[in-house]
Amino acid sequence: MTYKWNLSEIRTKQRYLLERLKNCKDPKEKELIELSLVSNVSILSNSGSILNTRFYNFLDSLTNGKFSLIKHSKYIEMERKILFHNDSFLDNDYLQFLLNLANNISNDIEEQVPLTKITIRDEDIVKLSKKFYEKLNNPIIEQLAMKILSDPTAINITNITRDGFEDFGGITYNDYVFDKSYINVQRSNTLFDFQVLNHEVMHGVDFYIHKKIPSKNYFVFHEVPTYTIDYLFLDFMEEIGFDSAEVDILKRKKMEYLSGLAQITLLQIKNQLIKNKGFKASINPNIENIKEILTPQILKQLLEIEAGLISYGLKLQIDKDKEKGLSNLVLFMNSEIPNNSRPNFSMFGLSDDTLLKLSQEYKTQLLNSIKSTNFKKNN
């Protein structure tokens, strides 16, 4: 079976959305149309098609990336406005809490252990994901995962993507107007392909369970369901007989991503302080100075670190009591996370104190994972 987006259908939808946007007066409706437009444009760009991906990459190589910037400038600005021009709540206490989490898990990025190249059919990647969601034994998640996995036009598996997206592995685009989630997997021809598809399917599940609107919700917490499912899926791969050494590499990469993000984020904050406040201000900086130099991207990264630790906590809950843990995961996906107040995850059993303790446990688990994969590599 071929898993490719229906690009003719996407172009038809794009034309409809552009026309509808011209006559839209309602700000709430306009946001949904713009979200869908950005998704449709991105779907075409990352489809792997000769025209929208390969030819555009060629033109970008000739113009040093200026072709895409000019052609898609309207949509780039549209996306930036939707995602980053909302003033989310951030007081000094919450910022300090986020910094504490980052400091607790920050770690040097070790030399990456490469995964073995293998031959995988597209249908095998999809089949394994179906098997996982069936075995997960949660009717709500399973039904919505199957909705995606049983629709070849909702999945795009490709060997090429737009320049700048090479390291993404996968990405999901949601159409709020036509109520459809589109997932993309860029093949690496390793076990990582299985994880990527399964991860992106969970983004779709989250979208179908409850559509969060960026203007009202904190951005980035949409990664909580997908990061949680990553942990469960990697355990599942090991349980059903995949090479444990290869799965251990994936587990380590998973944990190292978050600790590496923490290290990079703290370094970016230091550099911003030096740039805007001088070198002395970067030594034991006060929270007010940090808040002043914080960029939207750095805040996004700090929130992603919290999201990653929430996922780690939910995974541990599921290990201890599967039904209760999965119930908390579904409850999380059903919940709004208003961006006009400090997020409180106590209702999911993940208070601030719990997350701080988890951040310390996470660092210990990471170091053990690094030792384990290094040992297997050398023996």
Side-chain angles (χ1 to χ4, degrees):
M1 183 175 289
T2 301
Y3 292 92
K4 294 292 180 187
W5 291 324
N6 185 336
L7 300 188
S8 175
E9 180 183 82
I10 298 300
R11 292 187 185 98
T12 300
K13 289 180 177 180
Q14 185 180 349
R15 288 192 293 270
Y16 168 82
L17 291 167
L18 284 167
E19 194 62 33
R20 186 167 162 183
L21 185 61
K22 291 178 185 177
N23 304 309
C24 182
K25 306 296 182 185
D26 182 356
K28 292 181 181 178
E29 181 187 3
K30 183 179 180 182
E31 182 177 4
L32 297 180
I33 295 171
E34 289 182 339
L35 281 166
S36 299
L37 258 176
V38 168
S39 289
N40 277 269
V41 170
S42 299
I43 288 167
L44 292 172
S45 292
N46 282 292
S47 63
S49 69
I50 293 174
L51 172 61
N52 296 101
T53 306
R54 298 169 191 264
F55 184 56
Y56 284 9
N57 281 348
F58 172 70
L59 292 178
D60 274 339
S61 69
L62 296 179
T63 62
N64 198 25
K66 291 181 181 178
F67 170 78
S68 289
L69 286 175
I70 294 170
K71 181 172 180 60
H72 293 148
S73 59
K74 177 173 68 174
Y75 301 108
I76 292 170
E77 181 55 33
M78 196 180 287
E79 182 178 32
R80 186 181 293 117
K81 182 185 68 175
I82 293 170
L83 298 181
F84 295 113
H85 285 191
N86 300 311
D87 291 328
S88 298
F89 173 87
L90 184 72
D91 65 7
N92 290 353
D93 287 342
Y94 186 36
L95 176 56
Q96 186 60 64
F97 170 71
L98 294 174
L99 291 169
N100 290 342
L101 294 179
N103 276 297
N104 284 350
I105 70 167
S106 175
N107 194 63
D108 291 337
I109 300 174
E110 300 277 333
E111 180 184 354
Q112 293 292 310
V113 181
L115 288 159
T116 303
K117 294 288 184 179
I118 55 176
T119 301
I120 322 169
R121 297 183 306 166
D122 292 352
E123 49 265 44
D124 291 335
I125 301 174
V126 174
K127 184 178 178 181
L128 187 68
S129 192
K130 285 182 176 180
K131 187 175 180 179
F132 166 78
Y133 283 108
E134 287 169 357
K135 191 174 184 296
L136 191 63
N137 199 28
N138 182 278
I140 296 172
I141 296 175
E142 181 184 347
Q143 179 187 359
L144 295 172
M146 293 306 161
K147 176 179 179 177
I148 298 165
L149 290 164
S150 301
D151 179 4
T153 67
I155 302 170
N156 192 63
I157 301 177
T158 178
N159 291 314
I160 189 169
T161 190
R162 288 290 280 122
D163 290 342
F165 287 82
E166 298 92 344
D167 298 327
F168 278 49
I171 194 166
T172 297
Y173 302 106
N174 296 317
D175 189 324
Y176 285 75
V177 174
F178 289 95
D179 191 30
K180 185 165 181 175
S181 191
Y182 297 86
I183 68 176
N184 187 58
V185 177
Q186 183 190 357
R187 275 181 165 279
S188 64
N189 296 312
T190 67
L191 290 190
F192 187 52
D193 294 342
F194 291 104
Q195 181 188 340
V196 169
L197 175 82
N198 205 70
H199 175 105
E200 300 305 330
V201 167
M202 197 60 181
H203 272 309
V205 170
D206 183 38
F207 172 74
Y208 287 128
I209 283 181
H210 180 63
K211 297 171 180 61
K212 287 83 167 177
I213 308 302
S215 61
K216 295 182 178 179
N217 286 268
Y218 274 99
F219 186 59
V220 177
F221 288 113
H222 65 290
E223 293 293 358
V224 168
T226 57
Y227 286 5
T228 304
I229 227 69
D230 282 344
Y231 291 123
L232 300 176
F233 183 69
L234 294 176
D235 286 347
F236 166 77
M237 290 181 75
E238 196 163 24
E239 287 167 10
I240 63 173
F242 278 87
D243 186 334
S244 62
E246 291 286 297
V247 176
D248 280 350
I249 293 171
L250 287 174
K251 288 182 176 181
R252 171 176 164 177
K253 283 165 67 75
K254 180 69 195 168
M255 299 197 76
E256 277 192 318
Y257 168 76
L258 203 64
S259 66
L261 180 65
Q263 185 186 59
I264 290 168
T265 302
L266 294 171
L267 180 60
Q268 288 172 336
I269 290 171
K270 185 178 181 69
N271 289 339
Q272 283 290 109
L273 284 166
I274 293 171
K275 178 181 176 182
N276 292 280
K277 301 286 183 179
F279 180 75
K280 286 185 178 180
S282 70
I283 303 170
N284 297 320
N286 64 58
I287 200 69
E288 287 289 351
N289 280 346
I290 293 176
K291 192 175 179 182
E292 284 180 25
I293 58 85
L294 214 61
T295 65
Q297 181 60 35
I298 291 175
L299 175 57
K300 174 180 176 289
Q301 292 166 197
L302 287 170
L303 292 170
E304 184 176 354
I305 291 163
E306 183 179 14
L309 289 166
I310 293 168
S311 306
Y312 182 67
L314 286 172
K315 194 270 181 184
L316 295 179
Q317 288 181 12
I318 294 166
D319 285 346
K320 186 177 181 181
D321 185 332
K322 186 175 181 180
E323 185 176 350
K324 183 178 179 181
L326 287 174
S327 177
N328 276 338
L329 176 58
V330 172
L331 178 62
F332 186 95
M333 290 189 283
N334 259 314
S335 302
E336 295 275 315
I337 306 174
N339 58 14
N340 60 358
S341 61
R342 178 171 176 169
N344 184 346
F345 302 105
S346 298
M347 66 185 295
F348 312 109
L350 296 164
S351 66
D352 287 354
D353 286 342
T354 300
L355 288 173
L356 284 168
K357 289 176 184 175
L358 284 170
S359 66
Q360 295 166 341
E361 292 176 22
Y362 187 95
K363 180 69 169 284
T364 302
Q365 177 72 17
L366 169 65
L367 295 176
N368 289 337
S369 176
I370 292 172
K371 286 180 183 176
S372 174
T373 52
N374 285 345
F375 176 79
K376 289 181 180 180
K377 177 184 174 183
N378 297 322
N379 288 275

